[in-house]
Amino acid sequence: MANKTKKIITSNRAKSPAKPLKLKGKRIIKSTIGQPKYSERDREQQTAVNVKQHHHLDHRTSSSQPNTSNSDLIYGRHPVLTALERQRSLNRIWITSKLRYDPRFHSLILKAKENGTVIDEVEPRRLDQITERANHQGIAAQIAPYSYIDLYELIEQSQSVPEPVIIVAEGITDPHNLGAIIRTAEAIGAQGLVIPQRRASGITSTVIKVAAGALENFPVARVVNLQRALEQLKTNGFWIYGTAATASEPLHTMNFSGPVVLVVGSEGEGLSILTQRSCDGLVSIPLLGKTPSLNASVATGMALYEMYRQRWVNTLHLDKLQTNPWKKPV
């Protein structure tokens, strides 16, 4: 007669594995005697308690810091002063008592308060907490998210000058580099910037800080498809020039006359193959040292200066001409 499988029930003290074990035709099953039984209602009540405790903890944590989820933070005297002068939409300003009554800020602070901006007079340590110990110089402001301009608007605005220059930045993920590019481009006279929506830095508080007020006078367009944007710029009469370390044409030998678009890439990868194919020409910056490449913002500044240097040379400045008073007229 064949042996039948017998069940041996053990107490809860013995630790058994998750799966039942078979030992010589016998099966060991973990006993449920003495274990608490939870109903579905008990589980729902415990879940509700956990959610309530988590929400209470989040509330206590968030209340100690300003809510910047729907806005951005800028700090430093020059960036905030420029934003006040340009009447940017500011939600809140944190300022020390010493700086609040400074002649440069006092009237602008009063005007911002009339427009609905909340003014908080705080101690420097509070500003250290808000800016995470950044160089705030005694003032910080919470502004609305940056308002990008449409590409067609940027093209229309740039046509107000005879030979406009627009920068296209591909893959610039470092906000410090992007801010430096904006500051240099605005200072030298460029008309605007185009950046991709994906895989690149947008206009953040760090970009605004590094740009040092240049964004108040410098439009930025954000596009979904960079190659399509370059084709649109071509259609409107722009010549597209890209910077590439492997390009055979040195920067100073290229003729940058007429409406120009300067395309710059990231330090690590440079311009993509698709973007290079969209360019009318590729230029390189000759380097004689052992360093193989330049910082993206530095390379952009050098390329922009060469463009405007050529235009300055071709412009006749009558007030700069030197005349010899002792030379007799012919």
Side-chain angles (χ1 to χ4, degrees), residues 27-198:
R27 194 159 57 118
I28 301 176
I29 301 176
K30 185 177 179 181
S31 174
T32 58
I33 299 175
Q35 293 184 358
K37 295 182 179 180
Y38 292 99
S39 64
E40 190 66 27
R41 183 178 180 183
D42 294 335
R43 293 192 185 95
E44 291 177 357
Q45 289 178 352
Q46 184 63 32
T47 304
V49 171
N50 293 338
V51 171
K52 185 176 181 181
Q53 291 176 349
H54 182 70
H55 175 73
H56 180 66
L57 180 61
D58 288 346
H59 177 72
R60 287 190 304 168
T61 305
S62 60
S63 62
S64 61
Q65 296 292 339
N67 181 18
T68 58
S69 58
N70 296 323
S71 50
D72 218 338
L73 194 70
I74 60 172
Y75 48 85
R77 297 185 182 183
H78 188 69
V80 178
L81 183 63
T82 307
L84 287 168
E85 291 174 342
R86 299 288 296 181
Q87 297 184 5
R88 284 285 302 271
S89 179
L90 303 177
N91 299 332
R92 201 179 200 97
I93 294 176
W94 296 270
I95 189 170
T96 60
S97 56
K98 180 180 178 181
L99 194 61
R100 179 172 184 173
Y101 299 100
D102 186 288
R104 294 172 298 172
F105 285 91
H106 185 56
S107 60
L108 294 172
I109 291 291
L110 293 177
K111 190 172 183 180
K113 187 175 181 179
E114 292 176 359
N115 294 331
T117 304
V118 178
I119 310 298
D120 283 345
E121 191 172 310
V122 296
E123 296 294 329
R125 64 170 176 261
R126 174 60 176 156
L127 282 167
D128 291 339
Q129 182 184 11
I130 294 170
T131 62
E132 298 181 354
R133 297 192 176 277
N135 185 22
H136 51 75
Q137 299 175 329
I139 189 169
Q142 193 181 49
I143 62 174
Y146 183 80
S147 179
Y148 296 95
I149 192 174
D150 291 329
L151 181 59
Y152 74 89
E153 291 182 272
L154 177 59
I155 294 173
E156 289 181 358
Q157 291 183 13
S158 66
Q159 292 174 348
S160 61
V161 297
E163 294 181 313
V165 174
I166 293 176
I167 298 94
V168 173
E170 182 190 36
I172 305 294
T173 57
D174 184 4
H176 293 86
N177 268 339
L178 186 61
I181 289 172
I182 292 171
R183 182 175 184 175
T184 303
E186 197 283 327
I188 208 166
Q191 275 61 57
L193 173 72
V194 180
I195 58 175
Q197 188 173 343
R198 304 169 71 181

Side-chain angles (χ1 to χ4, degrees), residues 104-322:
R104 294 172 298 172
F105 285 91
H106 185 56
S107 60
L108 294 172
I109 291 291
L110 293 177
K111 190 172 183 180
K113 187 175 181 179
E114 292 176 359
N115 294 331
T117 304
V118 178
I119 310 298
D120 283 345
E121 191 172 310
V122 296
E123 296 294 329
R125 64 170 176 261
R126 174 60 176 156
L127 282 167
D128 291 339
Q129 182 184 11
I130 294 170
T131 62
E132 298 181 354
R133 297 192 176 277
N135 185 22
H136 51 75
Q137 299 175 329
I139 189 169
Q142 193 181 49
I143 62 174
Y146 183 80
S147 179
Y148 296 95
I149 192 174
D150 291 329
L151 181 59
Y152 74 89
E153 291 182 272
L154 177 59
I155 294 173
E156 289 181 358
Q157 291 183 13
S158 66
Q159 292 174 348
S160 61
V161 297
E163 294 181 313
V165 174
I166 293 176
I167 298 94
V168 173
E170 182 190 36
I172 305 294
T173 57
D174 184 4
H176 293 86
N177 268 339
L178 186 61
I181 289 172
I182 292 171
R183 182 175 184 175
T184 303
E186 197 283 327
I188 208 166
Q191 275 61 57
L193 173 72
V194 180
I195 58 175
Q197 188 173 343
R198 304 169 71 181
R199 298 178 183 176
S201 173
I203 305 301
T204 64
S205 59
T206 303
V207 175
I208 296 173
K209 170 69 176 176
V210 176
L215 276 167
E216 303 301 330
N217 308 290
F218 191 76
V220 179
R222 203 175 192 185
V223 297
V224 177
N225 191 312
L226 200 60
Q227 281 69 41
R228 194 179 302 164
L230 292 174
E231 291 299 324
Q232 186 175 347
L233 287 162
K234 281 185 182 180
T235 305
N236 285 272
F238 284 86
W239 289 83
I240 315 296
Y241 297 100
T243 56
T246 57
S248 59
E249 188 77 22
L251 176 68
H252 61 278
T253 61
M254 183 69 72
N255 181 17
F256 296 107
S257 60
V260 169
V261 171
L262 175 65
V263 189
V264 295
S266 61
E267 295 178 43
E269 300 178 0
L271 297 180
S272 65
I273 299 299
L274 285 176
T275 302
Q276 291 185 30
R277 290 175 180 173
S278 300
C279 295
D280 297 310
L282 295 175
V283 296
S284 62
I285 299 175
L287 301 175
L288 302 179
K290 295 182 180 180
T291 305
S293 62
L294 294 172
N295 176 279
S297 60
V298 173
T300 304
M302 295 177 69
L304 284 173
Y305 184 81
E306 174 59 26
M307 289 181 180
Y308 281 90
R309 185 197 66 81
Q310 292 182 11
R311 299 177 182 192
W312 294 330
V313 169
N314 296 329
T315 303
L316 182 61
H317 298 280
L318 297 178
D319 57 331
K320 302 294 182 181
L321 294 178
Q322 295 182 356

